[in-house]
Amino acid sequence: MKNNSNNENKSKVWFITGASKGFGLSLVKQLLAGGQKVAATSRYVDSLLRAAGEVSENFLPLYANLADDKSVANAIETARNTFNGLDVVINNAGYGIGGSIEELTDEEARESFDINVFGTLNVIRAAMPYLRDQQSGHIINISSIAGIAPATGWALYAATKFAVIGLSQVLAEDVKSMGIKVTVVAPGAFRTNFLSGDSLVIARNPIDAYADVRSSHARYLQMDGKQAGDPEKAAAAIIRIAGEENPPVHLLLGEDAYNRAMNKLEVLEHEFKLNEELSKSMAYQG
């Protein structure tokens, strides 16, 4: 897919979370190669510098604890002041969590929501005053096909990604009149380190009764390093969408994501129609 970072995205300022690996790192490298100004966050700035390169006039690596709204606000403000602008905000940071609801502790669940959902909210809240003031900008939230068509054994991960899709859909309507665009991206399986230990948490206290959950985890873990999706193509697609005058609110990435989403639409249509009469019978009579 063509990378349009030198034309449609000329002279834009990008803010990207979770930039030391995966999609985030691919985005940073492609954007810098295209002459873009990039502020990129990580909890481990040294790792980000090793992966993406040294600080330059176009590259600003920043520490941010996404669960801390003050840390996020400081990163956004520093990026905006350094580059004198803010155009595209990409909420990329997140991690996977596997296990049945019964197997996962409250602490594990809340930590997942803190990064995958509240981290996204913190970035949006910090960026919106600038975008609103200039009446332009594009917020791109990275969700997952799990937020549309979840798989066995990934309930909490699906819940966080459902949340990102839902908030993005409404945000798109809320900020449309301000000239701000919103896109939520739902990738399938890409050959990143998502299935490795530093990006994936599995329930620490498994219960023997959940054999199907264990089987599902085993199938996904066997995919590590063999996923069909190319993260460089995903990054190029996201950059391309950011350059469009009328970008989509929803973007599926990967043939697997597309197929799972379309299958889910068929299932929903069947279930809704199956109970159509019951659903419509709720009105008061008289």
Side-chain angles (χ1 to χ4, degrees):
M1 182 174 290
K2 183 181 177 182
N3 183 332
N4 293 326
S5 61
N6 286 320
N7 38 62
E8 291 98 331
N9 295 314
K10 186 177 181 181
S11 300
K12 288 187 176 179
V13 177
W14 302 67
F15 183 91
I16 303 169
T17 67
S20 62
K21 55 189 176 182
F23 288 167
L25 181 58
S26 295
L27 284 163
V28 168
K29 288 183 174 180
Q30 289 189 31
L31 289 167
L32 289 175
Q36 299 295 289
K37 293 179 171 60
V38 181
T41 80
S42 175
R43 290 177 299 167
Y44 310 105
V45 176
D46 288 345
S47 297
L48 175 56
L49 286 169
R50 285 195 297 269
E54 295 300 316
V55 179
S56 68
E57 63 178 4
N58 283 349
F59 179 45
L60 177 66
L62 295 165
Y63 168 82
N65 174 6
L66 296 181
D68 182 343
D69 59 346
K70 292 181 180 179
S71 176
V72 170
N74 182 64
I76 289 278
E77 183 179 16
T78 301
R80 198 263 182 186
N81 291 342
T82 299
F83 292 131
N84 195 32
L86 185 65
D87 298 301
V88 184
V89 176
I90 302 182
N91 283 298
N92 168 71
Y95 67 92
I97 180 167
S100 71
I101 291 174
E102 185 184 4
E103 293 172 313
L104 290 164
T105 65
D106 181 74
E107 179 184 10
E108 289 170 313
R110 290 178 185 276
E111 287 177 352
S112 177
F113 271 85
D114 274 346
I115 300 302
N116 292 0
V117 180
F118 288 101
T120 297
L121 293 174
N122 286 338
V123 171
I124 293 169
R125 275 193 293 261
M128 273 303 304
Y130 300 113
L131 304 183
R132 183 162 41 79
D133 182 62
Q134 68 194 23
Q135 294 285 290
S136 67
H138 194 170
I139 297 170
I140 300 176
N141 298 325
I142 309 299
S143 178
S144 167
I145 188 57
I148 298 172
T152 300
W154 305 94
L156 279 217
Y157 180 64
T160 66
K161 294 306 182 177
F162 267 107
V164 170
I165 290 174
L167 69 88
S168 299
Q169 290 172 342
V170 180
L171 179 67
E173 292 299 316
D174 291 348
V175 302
K176 184 189 301 183
S177 65
M178 304 173 193
I180 301 167
K181 303 174 177 68
V182 177
T183 298
V184 60
V185 181
F190 280 79
R191 203 168 298 179
T192 66
N193 56 353
F194 180 76
L195 293 175
S196 63
D198 60 345
S199 296
L200 178 65
V201 171
I202 299 294
R204 294 188 292 262
N205 300 301
I207 298 172
D208 291 342
Y210 289 102
D212 289 345
V213 169
R214 301 288 86 73
S215 295
S216 177
H217 291 173
R219 287 194 301 273
Y220 276 89
L221 291 173
Q222 287 172 2
M223 291 171 56
D224 191 18
K226 303 173 185 176
Q227 299 95 323
D230 181 346
E232 296 303 319
K233 290 182 178 180
I238 293 167
I239 294 170
R240 171 179 168 176
I241 289 299
E244 293 185 356
E245 184 177 352
N246 296 300
V249 175
H250 305 86
L251 176 65
L252 300 168
L253 290 182
E255 185 175 359
D256 58 335
Y258 182 86
N259 291 338
R260 283 173 64 177
M262 298 308 290
N263 288 339
K264 184 59 179 284
L265 283 177
E266 291 180 7
V267 169
L268 288 175
E269 183 180 24
H270 173 74
E271 290 189 348
F272 291 163
K273 288 184 175 180
L274 189 65
N275 292 291
E276 180 179 4
E277 183 178 352
L278 177 62
S279 297
K280 292 180 176 179
S281 67
M282 299 295 110
Y284 281 105
Q285 299 297 316

